[in-house]
Amino acid sequence: FWSQAALRSVRHVPIFVLIAVPIVAVEATRLWSQWTESKPRRSIPGILRDLLAEFPRHCRHTSLWPAALCVFLTFGSTNRSWPKDFPDNKFPCAAVNRNYAIIGGTGSGKSHVLTSDQWGGYLIYRMYPRQRVFVDGRSDFYGPSLGKDYLDLMNAQSGWRKLLQHYDFELALIPVNWSLAELLRNDAGWHERYRDSLAVIFERNNAKAN
């Protein structure tokens, strides 16, 4: 199951590795033992066989050093500054912080927000379940049809207005360098609510009130 999932999406590879490695190790050990059991002790395979046979005995010893290292990393420094948000040069942190209520931080939120797939994950992190997004980075779950609609909107392909109406978007939180950003800026059905060097927020003029 996990090998099939790993072939479909790279996000499943670590789980597949964790499950497959013990099975592969057992089988590799069996094959190695069969191949080396008849090798002379002074041959290279025989020497490796004896070394590997001795190795597990030394691995059975326990030590407090790993625990001490974990304690030091946890409590050793009092001047650490842990990250409190996503990198603001890659994610719309300022736009969301300044327009939290508009995007959906209070009440039921807007029905749909158009944003990039990367920023969709950020909005889920910040606002779920108060706000739902159109897409996020899990593109393998959405299918090719929705993926094509997303790309058509991002690149402002023909029919982008119909797609905005079809998905009933009320807000667009999109990168300023998207082709769609300039079109919405000049569209009578939308108005710009916020803009910075990274992101721009548009609201549909006839959007229903929160």
Side-chain angles (χ1 to χ4, degrees):
F1 172 81
W2 288 110
S3 63
Q4 173 65 19
L7 290 173
R8 294 193 56 178
S9 175
V10 72
R11 75 182 74 250
H12 300 300
V13 170
I15 301 177
F16 166 69
V17 170
L18 289 174
I19 294 174
V21 161
I23 301 172
V24 173
V26 170
E27 184 64 17
T29 301
R30 184 185 67 82
L31 294 174
W32 171 260
S33 298
Q34 288 179 352
W35 182 67
T36 60
E37 63 183 358
S38 60
K39 303 296 181 182
R41 295 191 62 182
R42 294 186 178 182
S43 65
I44 293 179
I47 294 172
L48 291 176
R49 176 196 61 210
D50 294 341
L51 288 174
L52 291 175
E54 291 290 330
F55 181 74
R57 299 178 186 177
H58 299 285
C59 293
R60 295 193 184 104
H61 300 289
T62 58
S63 173
L64 292 177
W65 285 111
L69 177 62
C70 291
V71 171
F72 172 77
L73 292 176
T74 304
F75 303 105
S77 175
T78 58
N79 296 321
R80 291 187 306 266
S81 178
W82 296 105
K84 296 181 179 179
D85 208 337
F86 285 60
D88 55 9
N89 62 335
K90 297 182 181 296
F91 293 91
C93 304
V96 172
N97 291 337
R98 297 180 185 179
N99 300 275
Y100 197 84
I102 298 172
I103 298 174
T106 59
S108 60
K110 300 292 182 180
S111 60
H112 286 94
V113 175
L114 172 62
T115 190
S116 73
D117 55 350
Q118 186 182 41
W119 292 2
Y122 175 70
L123 291 185
I124 291 175
Y125 171 78
R126 291 289 304 271
M127 297 180 173
Y128 183 85
R130 293 185 296 271
Q131 182 56 273
R132 308 298 177 91
V133 299
F134 175 51
V135 295
D136 55 48
R138 299 168 292 182
S139 57
D140 48 309
F141 292 104
Y142 290 107
S145 178
L146 193 64
K148 181 180 182 303
D149 289 347
Y150 167 72
L151 292 176
D152 287 347
L153 284 169
M154 179 179 70
N155 298 311
Q157 298 294 322
S158 60
W160 61 270
R161 283 192 177 88
K162 291 182 179 179
L163 288 174
L164 290 176
Q165 295 173 357
H166 173 72
Y167 290 105
D168 193 28
F169 290 119
E170 298 183 21
L171 283 176
L173 169 62
I174 57 178
V176 294
N177 59 357
W178 271 23
S179 301
L180 184 63
E182 189 62 27
L183 294 179
L184 288 180
R185 189 177 187 182
N186 298 297
D187 191 284
W190 294 76
H191 65 276
E192 183 179 306
R193 294 202 59 133
Y194 174 87
R195 176 182 289 264
D196 58 30
S197 60
L198 182 68
V200 58
I201 297 177
F202 295 99
E203 185 175 24
R204 199 176 71 196
N205 287 333
N206 59 341
K208 59 181 179 291
N210 284 334

